[in-house]
Amino acid sequence: MSKELSTEEKIREAAKHVFIAKGFDGCTSREIAKAAGMNVALVNYYFCSKKQLFKLIFETAMEDFMLSTVEVFRKDLSLESKMRIFIEREFEFLTMHPDIPRFILSELSRGDKCEFDHAGILDKIASTGVFEELLEAQEKGIIRKIDLTNLMLMIMSNCHYPFMAKPLMKYLNSLSEEEYQERLTLQKQYVTEMLIGYLFIPKTNS
Amino acid sequence: MSKELSTEEKIREAAKHVFIAKGFDGCTSREIAKAAGMNVALVNYYFCSKKQLFKLIFETAMEDFMLSTVEVFRKDLSLESKMRIFIEREFEFLTMHPDIPRFILSELSRGDKCEFDHAGILDKIASTGVFEELLEAQEKGIIRKIDLTNLMLMIMSNCHYPFMAKPLMKYLNSLSEEEYQERLTLQKQYVTEMLIGYLFIPKTNS
DNA sequence: ATCATTTTTAAACAACCGTTTAAATTCTTT
DNA sequence: AAAGAATTTAAACGGTTGTTTAAAAATGAT
């Protein structure tokens, strides 16, 4: 157990936890301070304001969210393998951070609070060479010629939504936590099969 | 122009708009009253409390969200046609109410505020005969034998998420409103093709 | 040990929250 | 027109919000 966290780090960790669970509007500075075991004033002493602390948490969450899994595309594997591993890792990441998609999309839709730097993120994704590889595969007729924005949206839909819809699914279908987790594991297999099956054009031996 | 809305209805309409846009925690009673052109006290005069008004809005939004499109399954069409029409209608509904999925999932994940009656909703869905029809089609080998919970999740993922991710997509890909709407139209076609293609087992003429 | 600096605390600040009250206004019924 | 009920209003309520302040405690340097 490494408990040697500085006060600043303790507050940041508590803020991450509370903000992601309840959102900017859904929590108070005092709640964050209490979660960190600190006095309220320390939050502003280290981070100036609730809004600024939120901005910090949001931006790091955003980076984790977008960059945690694209590294696969640097590897020397077939495109299909990379896609499969990518989805696998995406589900792994989301299993550990199931609340991040809802957090990001909710806070982003509320606007104003976070005019974050998206250019850097997109650049980092691009630096893995995913986009070139996909475009090249489209030219070669290996995968469907779909706009990459739409392709990205398809993958994200099938990976993020199952985690975002947890309370809805558990409620509507009266699932226990275990049952929900079972469906999640199945869902990973289904969406992988579906996405790969749709994206990759079957080889015709004409 | 039918402007003859009662005070109660004006408040309900304003509350629907404000709650869905900003969430329970993101708005105030005074904001709702102002949006309705009313005094704050009237909100509680007609709806007792902010929480109770929210409950009302949430439950009706939930019903619209879940029940607006399942009626197709009462019609006398092939299962594939029904599925295609269902997805089409789902996108239609979401085009008119693009904020509802995020609203529902966000508020539902915050818990406590809304212990709504899900039994009624599921019953109404079941009354269309979707579930029997799908199970029957699975027995006949027309569609894949996937748990219906997972099937539901797949469809919802691909319909809801593209609307929820609007700010993310516009931001990451620097899309104008028109460009985003274009992608959305394309997305509808892609996901329809993908879902139908995955779900329905091709007929083998053995 | 003394002093200056940094860190932490309790208390206070004005502003705003959801809600209530009691008076003013409008509408309905006679 | 008068009386009673329903609607609307402004003002106030206790409590909480984010933030600031000024004093206390802890730390480091000499």
Side-chain angles (χ1 to χ4, degrees):
Chain A
M1 291 289 278
S2 63
K3 275 247 173 183
E4 298 114 36
L5 286 173
S6 71
T7 300
E8 193 177 339
E9 289 167 332
K10 278 187 203 167
I11 296 173
R12 209 203 324 268
E13 285 305 305
K16 192 203 288 185
H17 189 262
V18 176
F19 273 142
I20 291 179
K22 304 204 185 189
F24 181 84
D25 294 324
C27 71
T28 68
S29 299
R30 284 171 174 81
E31 190 177 355
I32 293 171
K34 182 170 281 186
M38 303 289 162
N39 188 288
V40 209
L42 282 177
V43 174
N44 284 359
Y45 177 75
Y46 282 106
F47 300 97
C48 297
S49 70
K50 184 192 178 188
K51 196 176 255 179
Q52 190 157 320
L53 175 54
F54 175 81
K55 207 167 177 173
L56 192 79
I57 301 301
F58 179 83
E59 277 169 6
T60 61
M62 185 64 148
E63 290 216 352
D64 291 352
F65 182 53
M66 298 301 295
L67 301 176
S68 63
T69 56
V70 280
E71 288 299 314
V72 211
F73 285 92
R74 294 192 195 277
K75 296 203 174 178
D76 187 25
L77 294 165
S78 72
L79 182 56
E80 188 180 322
S81 295
K82 287 184 194 174
M83 289 293 296
R84 287 183 182 277
I85 293 171
F86 174 76
I87 296 169
E88 177 80 30
R89 299 241 173 117
E90 196 76 9
F91 269 81
E92 266 176 40
F93 173 81
L94 291 164
T95 301
M96 287 191 297
H97 310 283
D99 294 327
I100 284 195
R102 179 185 36 74
F103 172 68
I104 297 284
L105 295 188
S106 283
E107 300 296 338
L108 215 48
S109 84
R110 221 75 49 99
D112 68 300
K113 275 162 235 139
C114 37
E115 313 88 10
F116 71 103
D117 175 30
H118 66 291
I121 290 179
L122 210 62
D123 284 354
K124 282 182 191 167
I125 296 177
S127 78
T128 63
V130 219
F131 300 137
E132 287 93 333
E133 186 170 2
L134 288 171
L135 289 170
E136 197 182 328
Q138 285 182 334
E139 287 307 313
K140 286 183 184 169
I142 297 172
I143 62 169
R144 278 183 201 253
K145 288 198 176 176
I146 300 180
D147 187 289
L148 295 190
T149 305
N150 289 102
L151 174 56
M152 189 168 142
L153 194 47
M154 289 180 95
I155 296 171
M156 289 169 74
S157 297
N158 287 285
C159 292
H160 298 168
Y161 192 90
F163 291 87
M164 300 172 70
K166 174 174 176 176
L168 184 62
M169 285 295 136
K170 287 182 74 169
Y171 220 171
L172 282 179
N173 304 39
S174 307
L175 302 178
S176 68
E177 181 64 27
E178 291 76 25
E179 288 170 325
Y180 167 72
Q181 294 296 338
E182 275 177 39
R183 308 301 157 102
L184 215 47
T185 308
L186 283 172
Q187 192 74 6
K188 184 180 68 182
Q189 297 165 4
Y190 294 154
V191 303
T192 305
E193 222 179 313
M194 177 175 70
L195 286 167
I196 298 291
Y198 177 75
L199 191 59
F200 286 85
I201 299 166
K203 283 169 192 147
T204 57
N205 35 2
S206 59
Chain B
M1 292 288 278
S2 63
K3 276 248 173 181
E4 300 114 37
L5 285 174
S6 70
T7 300
E8 193 177 337
E9 288 167 332
K10 278 186 203 167
I11 295 173
R12 207 202 326 267
E13 284 305 305
K16 191 203 289 185
H17 188 262
V18 176
F19 272 141
I20 290 179
K22 305 204 184 189
F24 181 83
D25 293 325
C27 71
T28 68
S29 298
R30 285 172 174 80
E31 190 177 355
I32 292 171
K34 183 170 280 186
M38 303 290 162
N39 188 288
V40 209
L42 282 178
V43 174
N44 284 358
Y45 177 74
Y46 282 105
F47 299 97
C48 296
S49 71
K50 185 191 178 189
K51 196 176 254 180
Q52 189 157 320
L53 174 55
F54 175 81
K55 208 167 178 173
L56 192 80
I57 301 300
F58 179 83
E59 278 169 5
T60 62
M62 184 64 148
E63 290 217 352
D64 290 353
F65 183 54
M66 297 301 295
L67 302 176
S68 64
T69 56
V70 278
E71 288 300 314
V72 211
F73 284 93
R74 294 193 194 276
K75 295 203 175 179
D76 187 23
L77 295 166
S78 73
L79 181 55
E80 186 179 325
S81 295
K82 287 183 194 176
M83 289 292 297
R84 287 184 182 276
I85 294 172
F86 174 77
I87 296 169
E88 177 80 31
R89 299 242 173 115
E90 196 76 9
F91 269 81
E92 267 177 39
F93 173 80
L94 291 164
T95 301
M96 288 191 296
H97 310 283
D99 294 327
I100 285 195
R102 180 186 36 74
F103 172 68
I104 296 285
L105 295 189
S106 283
E107 300 296 339
L108 215 48
S109 84
R110 219 75 49 101
D112 69 298
K113 276 162 233 137
C114 36
E115 313 88 9
F116 71 101
D117 174 30
H118 66 291
I121 290 179
L122 210 63
D123 285 353
K124 283 182 190 166
I125 296 177
S127 78
T128 64
V130 219
F131 300 138
E132 287 93 333
E133 186 169 2
L134 288 170
L135 290 171
E136 196 181 329
Q138 286 182 334
E139 286 307 312
K140 286 183 183 167
I142 297 170
I143 62 169
R144 277 184 202 252
K145 288 198 177 177
I146 299 179
D147 188 288
L148 295 190
T149 306
N150 288 100
L151 174 55
M152 189 168 143
L153 194 48
M154 289 181 96
I155 296 172
M156 289 169 75
S157 296
N158 286 284
C159 293
H160 298 168
Y161 192 90
F163 291 87
M164 300 172 71
K166 174 174 175 176
L168 184 63
M169 285 296 135
K170 287 183 73 169
Y171 220 171
L172 282 180
N173 304 41
S174 307
L175 302 178
S176 68
E177 180 64 26
E178 290 76 26
E179 289 171 324
Y180 167 72
Q181 294 296 338
E182 276 177 40
R183 308 300 158 103
L184 215 47
T185 309
L186 284 172
Q187 192 73 6
K188 184 180 67 180
Q189 296 164 4
Y190 294 153
V191 304
T192 306
E193 224 178 313
M194 178 176 69
L195 287 167
I196 298 289
Y198 177 74
L199 192 59
F200 285 85
I201 298 166
K203 283 171 190 141
T204 56
N205 35 2
S206 57

